[in-house]
Amino acid sequence: MKRGRMASDASIGLSVGELGELSKKPKSTGDEATEPSAVHDWGNLLPDIILQIFQYLPLLDRAHASQVCRNWNHVFHMPDLWRCFEFELNQPATSYLKATHPDLIKQIIKRHSNHLQYVSFKVDSSKESAEAACDILSQLVNCSLKTLGLISTARPSFMDLPKSHFISALTVVFVNSKSLSSLKIDDTPVDDPSLKVLVANNSDTLKLLKMSSCPHVSPAGILCVADQCHGLRELALNYYLLSDELLLALSSEKHVRLEHLRIDVVSENPGQTHFHAIQKSSWDALIKHSPKVNLVMYFFLYEEEFDPFFRYETPVTHLYFGRSVSKEVLGRVGMTCPRLVELVVCANGLRPLDEELIRIAERCKSLTAIGLGECEVSCSAFVEFVKMCGGRLSQLSIMEEVLIPDQKYNLEQIHWEVSKHLGRVWFPDMMPTW
């Protein structure tokens, strides 16, 4: 909550208890009526003013404030205060996070379910919390949501539920919400038939869909969404769902220009996952249709699994390597990713990346951010890289142990040299910031 905005208003700066006491004080008479503290009747503030104050208060403080007087209690139940709500479902025995009180959940379902529009669920790692979220979803039969987010704060607990139970609860929302624009259902057992229900009821309004790590969805299922939801602007999915057909569907004349496409390329067991190649013509069609799209790719692969990638020009803009990546692959990145804006390499090994960094600086003219973790780069090559990129490097996060002193620069000298070329003070990081 943005509490800073409340400081300028004396009434907002008071605690709930102080407001309550002020509202109960009798009106003064005579000369006392001229004193500023005597003319305020907090219980009779205009509802619009109370509403604005309540919107800045945490839910618990808002509930306490609603007990001050009838006027405040009336505002507490106004629809505008219940359009946006986040259910926090955590088990006290296994989680230190706060949880939405069960009595409040019952009251919301009873009195405010038809007011809800922007809803999210935060659940811990327990199956019980995921079941509680599904129970709430199944009761939202009188509301038409605009946004829905299912967020697992630890491991994906929704995957522990019987698929039929989860799908049944989610379908209630899909059927009753005719204007759903944003759906975040990562790490859930959603499947193709449920996506068809989503499309049948919300194809004209859906603009954002995040569904990474949804193993029951097939490439045909996500293609159905792209074929029917022509207003889709943001999409996040796993690489196994990406296909030439999907990219062409997102590039059709009927479809709006895509703004953000995130692809997670993940392998749990080395050598057991086959990664297909996407044709260059499909990438070209996407960029021709949506020239400003941000293409974000997260790689969690083993070194021997990178063979299908970066063999020809790839329009990726944000590239993250979560596991060790070879010099060869980084060399191919420099040759095939001219749109690259951000690059993060968490690990590489003990072979210096001097040539690879220089090639990236030469060919990736839009690069503005780079992060290097367990890698090695000579100080001279790093200075040359920064010199070539210049002030456009808005974020330069390099671990101190990455930089290897050489005959030209030591760690003290590189600080001044890099700062000179950046146009601002720069120091190596002591710990990762990405």
Side-chain angles (χ1 to χ4, degrees):
M1 296 294 177
K2 298 181 180 178
R3 294 179 178 272
R5 291 178 58 182
M6 299 190 293
S8 61
D9 191 317
S11 66
I12 304 176
L14 296 173
S15 68
V16 171
E18 290 171 325
L19 289 175
E21 290 300 319
L22 284 171
S23 67
K24 296 175 183 177
K25 286 184 178 181
K27 295 182 179 180
S28 301
T29 57
D31 294 336
E32 293 180 351
T34 61
E35 298 180 11
S37 61
V39 298
H40 294 297
D41 185 354
W42 299 97
N44 290 324
L45 284 174
L46 292 175
D48 287 345
I49 296 177
I50 302 173
L51 179 64
Q52 290 185 38
I53 296 173
F54 275 19
Q55 287 174 337
Y56 287 100
L57 292 178
L59 178 61
L60 186 59
D61 289 348
R62 194 190 304 168
H64 288 161
S66 71
Q67 301 175 31
V68 168
C69 62
R70 287 185 179 180
N71 191 24
W72 289 24
N73 185 265
H74 169 73
V75 175
F76 178 73
H77 292 289
M78 290 178 66
D80 285 350
L81 278 180
W82 298 100
R83 300 195 193 286
C84 179
F85 194 82
E86 181 177 83
F87 293 92
E88 297 180 281
L89 306 174
N90 304 294
Q91 301 301 310
T94 58
S95 177
Y96 64 89
L97 299 173
K98 64 179 181 179
T100 307
H101 197 280
D103 290 342
L104 177 59
I105 294 176
K106 291 179 182 178
Q107 185 181 89
I108 292 173
I109 298 300
K110 181 179 179 180
R111 301 189 60 173
H112 302 293
S113 62
N114 59 323
H115 302 147
L116 295 173
Q117 292 183 353
Y118 310 94
V119 174
S120 62
F121 292 81
K122 279 189 176 179
V123 301
D124 61 10
S125 59
S126 67
K127 181 179 179 181
E128 291 79 6
S129 296
E131 288 178 337
C134 287
D135 289 341
I136 296 172
L137 284 172
S138 63
Q139 298 180 66
L140 300 182
V141 294
N142 296 318
C143 67
S144 182
L145 299 186
K146 293 185 177 180
T147 68
L148 173 64
L150 304 181
I151 305 166
S152 297
T153 56
R155 67 180 184 85
S157 52
F158 286 106
M159 296 302 298
D160 295 334
L161 300 178
K163 189 177 78 166
S164 59
H165 179 41
F166 176 83
I167 295 300
S168 175
L170 195 62
T171 301
V172 171
V173 175
F174 290 171
V175 170
N176 289 280
S177 298
K178 305 298 183 182
S179 57
L180 196 62
S181 64
S182 173
L183 181 62
K184 301 177 182 180
I185 48 174
D186 297 328
D187 300 299
T188 64
V190 63
D191 60 6
D192 290 359
S194 58
L195 289 182
K196 289 183 179 180
V197 176
L198 168 69
V199 169
N201 292 276
N202 299 273
S203 61
D204 293 336
T205 58
L206 190 64
K207 296 180 180 179
L208 181 149
L209 178 60
K210 292 186 63 178
M211 46 179 302
S212 295
S213 301
C214 296
H216 301 294
V217 175
S218 71
I222 191 64
L223 181 59
C224 171
V225 176
D227 277 335
Q228 300 298 321
C229 300
H230 297 146
L232 193 64
R233 298 180 184 273
E234 298 185 44
L235 179 62
L237 68 163
N238 280 77
Y239 185 79
Y240 79 91
L241 293 176
L242 189 68
S243 64
D244 294 297
E245 293 79 9
L246 176 61
L247 291 178
L248 294 176
L250 294 171
S251 307
S252 69
E253 293 183 359
K254 295 180 180 179
H255 207 286
V256 300
R257 291 178 178 175
L258 201 64
E259 297 175 358
H260 190 93
L261 176 60
R262 169 176 167 163
I263 302 168
D264 293 344
V265 193
V266 182
S267 172
E268 299 295 341
N269 300 302
Q272 296 188 13
T273 305
H274 171 72
F275 293 96
H276 60 283
I278 299 296
Q279 296 180 13
K280 182 179 183 300
S281 58
S282 301
W283 287 124
D284 291 344
L286 178 67
I287 297 305
K288 182 178 180 181
H289 179 267
S290 304
K292 295 183 179 180
V293 62
N294 285 319
L295 175 57
V296 183
M297 298 187 75
Y298 283 81
F299 282 88
F300 293 89
L301 300 184
Y302 297 92
E303 289 190 9
E304 62 271 18
E305 297 175 318
F306 276 98
D307 187 65
F309 302 99
F310 310 114
R311 291 296 180 182
Y312 48 78
E313 189 170 302
T314 306
V316 61
T317 56
H318 299 72
L319 188 54
Y320 306 90
F321 293 103
R323 293 183 184 146
S324 181
V325 58
S326 69
K327 279 173 60 72
E328 180 192 1
V329 172
L330 289 175
R332 299 206 305 258
V333 167
M335 297 295 293
T336 62
C337 301
R339 299 180 75 240
L340 193 62
V341 173
E342 182 176 9
L343 173 65
V344 173
V345 181
C346 291
N348 165 256
L350 300 179
R351 299 172 61 191
L353 299 177
D354 295 6
E355 296 178 2
E356 289 73 22
L357 270 187
I358 298 302
R359 184 178 295 120
I360 289 171
E362 288 175 343
R363 300 180 65 90
C364 303
K365 300 298 185 181
S366 299
L367 188 71
T368 61
I370 186 168
L372 299 178
E374 298 178 15
C375 311
E376 285 192 358
V377 180
S378 71
C379 287
S380 295
F382 183 64
V383 170
E384 183 63 22
F385 168 80
V386 175
K387 183 179 179 180
M388 294 173 68
C389 294
R392 63 184 167 92
L393 283 176
S394 60
Q395 185 172 352
L396 188 61
S397 180
I398 311 297
M399 297 288 289
E400 187 175 54
E401 57 265 28
V402 168
L403 301 171
I404 308 301
D406 52 25
Q407 294 180 347
K408 195 170 183 180
Y409 300 103
N410 58 35
L411 291 179
E412 179 66 23
Q413 293 169 323
I414 200 174
H415 149 62
W416 294 106
E417 194 68 19
V418 170
S419 298
K420 180 179 70 176
H421 293 300
L422 287 178
R424 64 180 187 275
V425 177
W426 176 86
F427 288 96
D429 294 329
M430 302 304 295
M431 61 185 299
T433 58
W434 56 84

